[in-house]
Amino acid sequence: MSVLRNVGRIHQKSTAFFLCDIQEKFRPHIFQYPSVVATAQKMIAAHKILDIPLIVTEQNPKALGATASELDLSQAKVNIAKTKFSMFVPEVEPHLQGIKSVVLFGIESHVCVLQTALDLLENNFDVHVLADGVSSMNSFEIEHALNRIKSAGGFVTTSESILFQIMGDSKHEKFKTISQLVKDTKEATSNNKLFLKSNI
């Protein structure tokens, strides 16, 4: 008899995107901050195209500022301030009805991203962390954080890979639009050095 394994299948109608604390005050300090923003822009565009809910948090915005100005949060389902490091806070939980998989990106890898991933995993969500969309002030923290998430049962992947996993078939009604998005963001993806720190 075969044993059922959780291989991290992801489906459009049961997925949410989590954008974690990509705030202005971090801009001069985070390793490859422009790459984090570029990946977030890609995922925000995809959330609109695929109608996937976007959950956004800001860590203590009075001290750390608002979310990066380049990021269009106009269609976010949730956009809240928090003091807890994890995004899994009471204001977010009610919006996760019917959600099985979370795609997580933002900063910092070893603090808010890690603690969000662990809380979600502990509450039986599949977690897919984007290696090209998470970073920290100290670049060496990234690899350790992603390894910790993997050891807890999370999945480390990339923005392009996850978008094609969500569609699953070239017959998907949004395939051409997502494919064009990937082409339009090719230069930013090529310049993204976060891959080198992800140890995938």
Side-chain angles (χ1 to χ4, degrees):
M1 185 175 71
S2 62
V3 178
L4 291 176
R5 297 179 60 203
N6 181 7
V7 297
R9 294 288 186 190
I10 188 166
H11 303 283
Q12 183 176 348
K13 292 184 178 180
S14 57
T15 296
F17 290 171
F18 272 39
L19 188 162
C20 185
D21 307 348
I22 305 177
Q23 291 162 259
E24 287 289 351
K25 290 284 181 73
F26 285 120
R27 190 180 292 271
H29 307 293
I30 295 293
F31 174 75
Q32 282 278 300
Y33 186 91
S35 291
V36 175
V37 169
T39 297
Q41 288 176 313
K42 183 194 302 184
M43 298 309 292
I44 289 169
H47 111 84
K48 295 174 183 177
I49 295 165
L50 296 170
D51 194 27
I52 289 176
L54 176 67
I55 310 294
V56 181
T57 60
E58 296 173 345
Q59 180 69 25
N60 193 9
K62 288 183 180 179
L64 296 173
T67 299
S69 57
E70 304 96 311
L71 301 180
D72 176 12
L73 307 181
S74 60
Q75 295 182 34
K77 188 171 187 179
V78 179
N79 185 0
I80 60 162
K82 64 180 177 64
T83 58
K84 185 179 179 182
F85 296 127
S86 172
M87 293 180 69
F88 194 72
V89 293
E91 297 89 341
V92 167
E93 290 184 56
H95 298 280
L96 300 180
Q97 298 296 320
I99 298 298
K100 295 180 181 178
S101 302
V102 169
V103 177
L104 177 59
F105 48 98
I107 50 183
E108 285 189 80
S109 308
H110 63 299
V111 186
C112 297
V113 171
L114 172 60
Q115 292 188 39
T116 300
L118 296 179
D119 276 352
L120 288 166
L121 289 165
E122 201 167 38
N123 283 274
N124 297 314
F125 294 93
D126 284 346
V127 179
H128 303 261
V129 181
L130 302 185
D132 56 331
V134 297
S135 190
S136 295
M137 292 187 188
N138 299 311
S139 62
F140 63 80
E141 297 278 10
I142 301 168
E143 179 180 336
H144 293 286
L146 294 180
N147 283 334
R148 176 71 176 90
I149 291 168
K150 285 193 288 186
S151 71
F155 303 96
V156 178
T157 184
T158 66
S159 57
E160 183 172 330
S161 178
I162 206 72
L163 293 177
F164 285 98
Q165 286 178 62
I166 289 169
M167 291 187 296
D169 194 315
S170 61
K171 292 181 180 178
H172 190 284
E173 62 178 355
K174 300 296 184 180
F175 172 73
K176 288 184 179 179
T177 310
I178 291 293
S179 294
Q180 188 61 52
L181 174 64
V182 169
K183 290 176 184 176
D184 291 343
T185 56
K186 181 180 179 181
E187 183 176 354
T189 302
S190 298
N191 292 333
N192 190 318
K193 302 297 188 297
L194 293 171
F195 294 107
L196 303 178
K197 295 292 180 181
S198 63
N199 192 29
I200 297 178

